[in-house]
Amino acid sequence: MNNCSSSVSKFILLGFPYAWEIQMLLFSIFSGRYILTLIGNLCIICAVRWDHQLQTPMYMLLANFSFLEIWFITSTVPTMLANFLSENTTISVSGCFLQSYFFFSIGTTETFFLCAMAFDRYLAICRPLHYPTVMTVQRCIRIGACCWVCGFLYFLLPVYPISQLPFCCLNKIDHVLCDPDLLIKPSCVPAPATEILCAIYNSVLIFSTLLFITSSYILVIKAVLRVTSAEGGHKAFSTCGSHLAVVSLFYGCIMVVYVSPTAGNPAEIQKIMSLFYSVITPLFNPLIYSLRNKEMKVALRKLFRTLLFSQRHRRNV
């Protein structure tokens, strides 16, 4: 194979090479899910911003997580939707690496925020007397800033050596997004060290954060089981149930894609699983938090009433 690294300026994302009618159906489905995801997560952010009762560390972390979900899905879905409507499904090399960096950096930041949310619930339930002094608003802001910085710094090391590889004439990527593992395949030279580095980074991130979250919720469950009041136990479970549901959904998807034996499955299965955690889970998260949390339900009702009242007022004026 001749080295065409000097002339390769674009990658070809093969995506789903189906008939035009199916492409239009997929465009309708994913564009609808994209809009619903934006609306759902924006509603949570606005509810936390406008309702003073929700301006607590737990809901501030939730608002940050919803903001991340918006950018998580925006980093890939617009390009995917454009490819559904176009016969030219190319993406520039620099654009592909930027998409890969931002997509996985935002995903990494989400794992850190899930750890912060688990730690917040641990303090609130297992150390209720110390919670007001330990988890202050200022400390919550610092924790959130640390999650953002660490999330975007963590993925710099593995993505840099991939960007330095020479790429050959066969610059096709059989995926819907620029996955770092697949970016190594069009390289003209073998890069086992880079592959091992990416595998180590993925494994360390997934298992260390999952271990922290699991340990926190084990301690939470033990504390809840010791609660004698049925009402208190139910309230504790309701506040943690939504977090556990989101964690299970998020980690279940990424472990299937990056850890389980399905990594050797055909490309179609990999693409479907990647679509599930990059498009479907951001839609489910606001539904989980709004349906299982009474305070969030009340805040969303207030938000919708305020919006309806302002619209009626403008029409009358």
Side-chain angles (χ1 to χ4, degrees):
M1 186 181 297
N2 295 326
N3 189 332
C4 299
S5 59
S6 59
S7 61
V8 170
S9 60
K10 295 181 179 179
F11 288 121
I12 301 173
L13 291 174
L14 298 181
F16 295 100
Y18 299 142
W20 176 254
E21 294 78 8
I22 299 178
Q23 295 274 16
M24 290 297 95
L25 177 62
L26 292 174
F27 175 82
S28 302
I29 293 173
F30 288 115
S31 60
R33 291 186 180 276
Y34 179 60
I35 294 172
L36 290 175
T37 302
L38 294 182
I39 294 173
N41 285 286
L42 281 173
C43 286
I44 289 179
I45 294 172
C46 293
V48 175
R49 175 65 181 85
W50 289 338
D51 195 323
H52 294 288
Q53 293 182 351
L54 296 186
Q55 291 180 5
T56 60
M58 183 181 79
Y59 290 106
M60 290 172 65
L61 293 172
L62 173 59
N64 271 273
F65 190 79
S66 295
F67 184 73
L68 278 167
E69 291 284 53
I70 291 174
W71 289 107
F72 186 68
I73 192 171
T74 302
S75 63
T76 56
V77 171
T79 302
M80 188 194 313
L81 295 177
N83 289 339
F84 283 140
L85 299 177
S86 175
E87 295 182 357
N88 183 17
T89 59
T90 60
I91 182 172
S92 65
V93 172
S94 59
C96 193
F97 279 106
L98 281 174
Q99 183 194 74
S100 176
Y101 172 72
F102 280 105
F103 179 74
F104 286 93
S105 293
I106 293 170
T108 303
T109 307
E110 286 191 353
T111 63
F112 293 148
F113 264 100
L114 288 174
C115 289
M117 294 162 76
F119 179 67
D120 174 79
R121 291 300 84 204
Y122 162 76
L123 287 176
I125 295 173
C126 299
R127 298 288 186 271
L129 298 179
H130 298 89
Y131 181 77
T133 57
V134 175
M135 187 59 77
T136 61
V137 174
Q138 291 77 15
R139 186 162 294 169
C140 177
I141 293 173
R142 288 197 292 268
I143 291 174
C146 183
C147 291
W148 278 94
V149 173
C150 293
F152 276 82
L153 289 178
Y154 185 85
F155 205 70
L156 278 175
L157 183 58
V159 79
Y160 177 75
I162 300 175
S163 65
Q164 301 304 305
L165 295 174
F167 298 106
C168 299
C169 299
L170 297 177
N171 56 339
K172 295 181 180 180
I173 300 176
D174 193 8
H175 213 291
V176 294
L177 54 89
C178 294
D179 192 293
D181 294 336
L182 296 178
L183 286 174
I184 301 176
K185 292 183 178 180
S187 173
C188 302
V189 295
T194 304
E195 292 181 7
I196 294 172
L197 178 66
C198 291
I200 292 174
Y201 258 66
N202 289 336
S203 300
V204 170
L205 174 68
I206 293 172
F207 288 109
S208 61
T209 53
L210 182 59
L211 178 62
F212 181 87
I213 294 170
T214 304
S215 302
S216 300
Y217 280 114
I218 288 175
L219 295 174
V220 167
I221 292 172
K222 287 183 178 179
V224 171
L225 293 177
R226 289 196 298 264
V227 175
T228 57
S229 171
E231 182 180 355
H234 177 73
K235 183 177 181 181
F237 268 121
S238 65
T239 57
C240 296
S242 55
H243 294 280
L244 284 172
V246 171
V247 168
S248 301
L249 186 63
F250 183 82
Y251 276 92
C253 293
I254 63 175
M255 289 185 74
V256 166
V257 175
Y258 295 106
V259 178
S260 72
T262 55
N265 279 351
E268 291 297 316
I269 297 178
Q270 289 292 89
K271 284 186 278 189
I272 292 172
M273 295 307 303
S274 297
L275 281 176
F276 192 86
Y277 82 84
S278 62
V279 179
I280 307 300
T281 56
L283 175 63
F284 285 163
N285 291 344
L287 294 176
I288 291 171
Y289 280 114
S290 60
L291 293 177
R292 292 185 60 88
N293 193 297
K294 293 182 180 180
E295 293 177 343
M296 183 58 69
K297 287 181 183 179
V298 173
L300 288 173
R301 290 193 193 102
K302 290 181 182 178
L303 176 64
F304 293 145
R305 288 171 188 167
T306 303
L307 293 175
L308 290 173
F309 178 77
S310 61
Q311 286 183 349
R312 292 175 181 174
H313 180 71
R314 288 176 183 176
R315 290 175 182 175
N316 293 332
V317 172

